[in-house]
């Protein structure tokens, strides 16, 4: 279906961006049923392995860099949909996560829109530069390839 294909493009944007920015991917699901079978709450998406990163971020000097990377990853689904379809239909939870992190970091609400635009631009630029890897990942995710296989496909296709 068209909606399912849009979800794949959206989640592939998150996956590829996380991979490139060094945020480990634990799993992904493309439907609520897949998420449920994996023991996740929600409707699916890319799940990150954050335990190692949390240790690094405890040193507050590392937090701003991590926040920029994860913000770019959160906006990558919206960026991917926009590149493929001209506009995004999904991404409400991505925006919520970004705003929650910005609030936690003490960023003024007046700067949320600017931070979102910056993160969206970073994600869009990354996806445009890595179109070959992005398209290869979409094909792998359509086949429900494992995280390891998706990572292999990306590494073989990076520019």
């Amino acid at each position: 279906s068209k909606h399912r294909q849009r979800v794949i493009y959206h989640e592939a944007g998150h996956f590829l961006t996380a991979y490139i920015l060094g945020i480990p991917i634990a799993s992904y699901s493309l439907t609520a049923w897949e998420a449920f079978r994996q023991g996740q709450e929600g409707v699916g998406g890319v799940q990150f392995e954050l335990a190692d990163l949390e240790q690094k971020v405890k040193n507050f000097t590392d937090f701003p860099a991590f926040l920029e990377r994860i913000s770019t990853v959160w906006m990558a689904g919206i960026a991917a949909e926009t590149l493929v379809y001209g506009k995004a239909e999904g991404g409400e939870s991505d925006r919520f996560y970004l705003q929650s992190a910005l609030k936690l970091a003490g960023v003024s609400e007046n700067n949320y829109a600017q931070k979102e635009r910056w993160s969206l631009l970073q994600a869009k630029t990354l996806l445009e530069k890595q179109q070959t890897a992005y398209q290869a990942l979409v094909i792998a995710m359509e086949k429900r390839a494992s995280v390891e296989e998706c990572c292999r496909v990306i590494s073989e296709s990076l520019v």
Side-chain angles (χ1 to χ4, degrees), residues 10-29 38 40 44-54 66 69-77 93-94 97 147 151:
H10 183 103
E11 297 306 330
H14 290 304
F15 195 117
L16 178 63
T17 305
Y19 178 89
I20 290 172
L21 295 178
I23 297 175
I25 298 124
S27 65
Y28 74 93
S29 55
Q38 292 177 13
Q40 302 170 15
V46 177
Q47 305 298 316
F48 308 110
E49 185 60 56
L50 297 177
D52 291 340
L53 294 173
E54 286 172 1
F66 173 74
R69 289 183 358 216
I70 196 72
S71 296
T72 301
V73 171
W74 282 325
M75 292 295 101
S93 62
D94 301 328
Y97 292 138
V147 169
C151 290

Side-chain angles (χ1 to χ4, degrees), residues 27-42:
S27 65
Y28 74 93
S29 55
L30 302 173
T31 66
W33 177 243
E34 288 177 9
F36 176 75
R37 286 192 350 228
Q38 292 177 13
Q40 302 170 15
E41 295 180 17

Side-chain angles (χ1 to χ4, degrees), residues 88-110:
E89 290 181 1
E92 295 81 20
S93 62
D94 301 328
R95 284 188 169 101
F96 173 78
Y97 292 138
L98 175 60
Q99 290 173 4
S100 297
L102 293 173
K103 182 177 182 179
L104 181 67
V107 175
S108 166
E109 263 187 71
N110 297 335

Side-chain angles (χ1 to χ4, degrees), residues 62-139:
D62 294 337
F63 186 73
F66 173 74
L67 182 59
E68 286 191 11
R69 289 183 358 216
I70 196 72
S71 296
T72 301
V73 171
W74 282 325
M75 292 295 101
I78 295 169
E81 277 192 70
T82 303
L83 286 170
V84 174
Y85 296 102
K87 69 175 189 164
E89 290 181 1
E92 295 81 20
S93 62
D94 301 328
R95 284 188 169 101
F96 173 78
Y97 292 138
L98 175 60
Q99 290 173 4
S100 297
L102 293 173
K103 182 177 182 179
L104 181 67
V107 175
S108 166
E109 263 187 71
N110 297 335
N111 293 329
Y112 287 8
Q114 177 187 1
K115 294 287 189 185
E116 183 178 313
R117 282 191 306 273
W118 183 88
S119 299
L120 192 59
L121 178 62
Q122 295 300 312
K124 182 179 180 232
T125 301
L126 189 150
L127 293 171
E128 286 174 333
K129 182 178 178 184
Q130 297 297 341
Q131 270 298 308
T132 301
Y134 177 66
Q135 292 303 325
L137 177 60
V138 166
I139 291 167

Side-chain angles (χ1 to χ4, degrees), residues 134-151:
Y134 177 66
Q135 292 303 325
L137 177 60
V138 166
I139 291 167
M141 289 177 78
E142 286 173 336
K143 297 175 183 175
R144 301 303 199 270
S146 68
V147 169
E148 294 76 18
E149 178 65 15
C150 288
C151 290

